[in-house]
Amino acid sequence: MNLFVKIFLWFLAALALMVGVMLLLNWTVQTEPVVSRWRISVRNQTNIYAATAAQIHANQGESGLNEFLSRIREAETIGEVDLIGENGKLYLSEGVNAENYRDLIARSLASNAVEFELNQPETALTARQLRFANGDRYVLIVRWERPRITPFFGESPLRYLRYAALLLTALLLCWALARYMSKPIEKLRKATQRLAGGELSARVAGEVGKRGDEISALAKDFDVMAERIESLITSQKRLSRDISHELRSPLARMNVALEIAKQKSNAETAPNLERIETESNRLNEMISRLLTLSKLETGSQDFEKSELNLKKLVEQVAADADFEAAAKGRSVRIIRADECRMRGGETLVQSAIENVLRNAVRYTKENTTVEVTLRAENGKAVVTVRDHGGGVPEDELANLFRPFYRVSEARDRGSGGIGLGLAIAEQAVRVHKGTIKARNTDGGLEVEISFDRHI
């Protein structure tokens, strides 16, 4: 679950809790006073009804009392009015079982106040004793409708529309708040990925804006860090380029001196001079590779794009590599080669494939074959080179394309490499908007280069 969804759900839960508390408080505040006032009201009315009934019976007799009770029954909030004698006999009541009210009648006869019975959820009973002029005691029982609390959004059909409006407002508010909180973090994450991918100019403070909070401060700190990293790496690249340039001149003079010394050498000194020449050529190659890598990294390597027959180029590079591998007891074989054409710099593309292929030849075991494939798929030209050199540790795969990086185990200095071939291949592929990646296979390493055929 991403951060946006988490923040959204937390805000939504907080709003739902607040609304629930408000409804609870509203119900509590409304219900208690209403019920209290209602009980006082029905108690007073029951007292009045009982006193009035006794007075009417004394003045107008049974007919007047019957008429009075009928008028009470017509009230909207009254569902039943009964007059029951202390012996349990119904008086001016029809269809009522007095046994149902035995306890209520007993309590009412034993007290001189209004008694309540609240057993029903929608109605309530009140009972009050009254005494006629002849001394007979009766109990007046009235069934009242309980008060109904008005819902928070009213009782009209529009209340459902109000519910929907409240829910929609809550969702929009939570979405806006979650977006406000997570958007700058998402921008910061993308900037971090760009920086990790080699885009040293990646900055994020301008995109986050002047929020004035901790996230804004974090974005500024990120920019400071990125600027420092860019400065350090740029200085390192510049230093490598400058040193390489400076070494060219003394190396050239050393080669001239070496040629003069070879002319004056004898049988005893000749092997040493040849060894010096070998190391000088190796140093010259390293410097050339360093300059190439520096130009590719800084974008100063100029190249013209032209239409390339990638199949022909791969076949040529594979043939050259197979010739060199034969002297070491190894071989190079093309497993598949689709017809592929692309636009790019021929020298750079050839250098990328050649470096990967020579690296595979260097590390594959004796009497094994380096396998090369060229596939055309989904608008891409994919070159795969697979060796049988035992592979590399999984945690070191991502470092294979770093300059001068060497795997600590099988692929060591005994191979004779200087650790720049794959770095140059990666930069050559990158300037063509392609990708290069390595992965372990059964008993070896597989490097895959992918070019866009329409660049």
Side-chain angles (χ1 to χ4, degrees), residues 34 65 97 121 167 183 290 312 319 350 357 368 384 389 398 434 453:
V34 168
L65 179 58
N97 187 357
L167 178 60
K183 186 64 176 178
L290 271 174
K312 182 178 179 181
Q350 179 176 346
L357 193 50
T368 60
T384 304
R453 288 187 289 167

Side-chain angles (χ1 to χ4, degrees), residues 337-354:
D338 296 344
E339 287 291 340
C340 291
R341 292 184 179 274
M342 61 171 286
R343 288 190 58 80
E346 181 176 1
T347 302
L348 287 180
V349 173
Q350 179 176 346
S351 175
I353 299 174
E354 188 176 50

Side-chain angles (χ1 to χ4, degrees), residues 76-102:
E76 292 183 359
T77 58
I78 295 177
E80 177 185 339
V81 179
D82 301 307
L83 193 61
I84 304 175
E86 61 181 335
N87 57 359
K89 182 179 179 181
L90 294 176
Y91 185 72
L92 299 180
S93 299
E94 295 179 359
V96 176
N97 187 357
E99 289 296 322
N100 296 335
Y101 305 133
R102 177 183 297 177

Side-chain angles (χ1 to χ4, degrees), residues 4 15-16 30 64 97 117 154 169-170 177 191 198 203 235 253 268 273 343 348 366 435 452:
F4 172 81
L15 281 179
Q30 276 193 343
N97 187 357
E117 187 173 284
T169 302
L177 289 173
R203 300 293 186 270
S235 298
R253 291 193 294 270
E268 184 178 351
L273 292 176
R343 288 190 58 80
L348 287 180
E366 290 188 13
T435 60
D452 190 340

Side-chain angles (χ1 to χ4, degrees), residues 105-170:
I105 293 171
R107 285 189 284 116
S108 179
L109 292 173
S111 68
N112 196 29
V114 176
E115 296 294 329
F116 282 85
E117 187 173 284
L118 307 173
N119 296 333
Q120 300 297 323
E122 296 183 356
T123 62
L125 294 174
T126 59
R128 178 70 163 87
Q129 71 160 298
L130 57 92
R131 191 182 295 271
F132 287 162
N134 59 3
D136 293 339
R137 291 194 305 168
Y138 290 85
V139 176
L140 178 66
I141 298 177
V142 182
R143 184 179 295 277
W144 304 85
E145 289 186 4
R146 287 180 180 243
R148 292 193 303 170
I149 305 302
T150 304
F152 189 74
F153 288 104
E155 296 181 338
S156 69
L158 290 177
R159 67 181 182 275
Y160 299 109
L161 184 60
R162 297 188 185 108
Y163 291 146
L166 177 63
L167 178 60
L168 180 60
T169 302

Side-chain angles (χ1 to χ4, degrees), residues 195-199 237 289 292-293 295-297 348-357 359 397-405 419-438 447-451:
L195 182 65
E199 188 180 339
K237 292 177 180 178
R289 285 174 172 262
T292 300
L293 179 62
K295 289 179 180 178
L296 287 171
E297 288 179 335
L348 287 180
V349 173
Q350 179 176 346
S351 175
I353 299 174
E354 188 176 50
N355 279 323
V356 172
L357 193 50
N359 187 77
L397 283 174
N399 299 319
L400 289 179
F401 302 101
R402 285 170 47 192
F404 299 108
Y405 181 79
L420 288 174
L422 292 181
I424 292 174
E426 182 193 35
Q427 294 299 325
V429 170
R430 181 173 291 181
V431 298
H432 285 85
K433 311 298 182 184
T435 60
I436 182 171
K437 55 187 177 182
V447 178
E448 180 182 280
I449 303 174
S450 178
F451 293 108

